[in-house]
Amino acid sequence: MKPFLTTVVLVFSMYSFSFGQDLVYRPTNPAFGGDTFNYQWLLSAAEAQNTFTDASDSSRDQRSDLERFTENLNSQLLNQISRTLFNEQFGEEGLTEGTFSFGTLFVEIFPSGEGLVINILDTSTGDQSQVIIPN
């Protein structure tokens, strides 16, 4: 009986000398409350694992000066044509209420509580766009 009693006393005495610690969760990601110094490490780890490449950047850089000039010239010509069409259709006073047709584009202009609303419908594809010019 004596060895049993010493074992019990030894076990209970170990409980009195042992210390516990609270488990605390600390997030790593700074977006969720973690340390801001982890941001650069997390970003570099994510970039190292990224296997995707952006093909549009490499093709854009390979254009010659002549191709860029041609694209710029086309853009300016289309801009001038659209400005001329706009002036012919709406005159010098600018946008007026009504419905207008430009080929396959159907344009509707009307005032609303939010401002001047311009609805654009491409009748060939069914695509729609709405522009609101605030008061």
Side-chain angles (χ1 to χ4, degrees):
M1 176 95 169
K2 197 151 181 111
F4 177 72
L5 186 59
T6 56
T7 307
V8 171
V9 169
L10 184 63
V11 168
F12 282 121
S13 65
M14 284 188 349
Y15 281 125
S16 66
F17 290 113
S18 64
F19 295 101
Q21 179 178 342
D22 292 336
L23 295 176
V24 177
Y25 170 73
R26 291 190 182 168
T28 305
N29 193 335
F32 299 109
D35 190 8
T36 55
F37 295 117
N38 292 336
Y39 176 77
Q40 195 64 33
W41 174 76
L42 288 171
L43 181 63
S44 64
E47 286 176 348
Q49 296 174 19
N50 185 8
T51 59
F52 296 108
T53 57
D54 191 7
S56 64
D57 287 342
S58 61
S59 66
R60 232 182 248 164
D61 296 334
Q62 295 176 356
R63 292 183 301 159
S64 68
D65 289 337
L66 181 61
E67 290 172 334
R68 283 190 292 245
F69 176 75
T70 304
E71 184 178 313
N72 188 10
L73 186 61
N74 285 337
S75 172
Q76 288 181 12
L77 286 173
L78 290 174
N79 187 16
Q80 184 65 33
I81 291 169
S82 67
R83 187 177 300 125
T84 304
L85 282 173
F86 183 84
N87 286 337
E88 286 177 7
Q89 186 72 33
F90 299 110
E92 294 298 323
E93 66 270 359
L95 295 174
T96 57
E97 294 180 37
T99 56
F100 307 95
S101 179
F102 300 101
T104 60
L105 292 179
F106 180 74
V107 179
E108 179 183 16
I109 303 172
F110 60 92
S112 73
E114 298 174 350
L116 190 63
V117 177
I118 304 170
N119 288 328
I120 304 168
L121 171 66
D122 187 353
T123 55
S124 63
T125 62
D127 292 337
Q128 296 184 45
S129 181
Q130 185 178 55
V131 179
I132 299 174
I133 302 171
N135 292 333

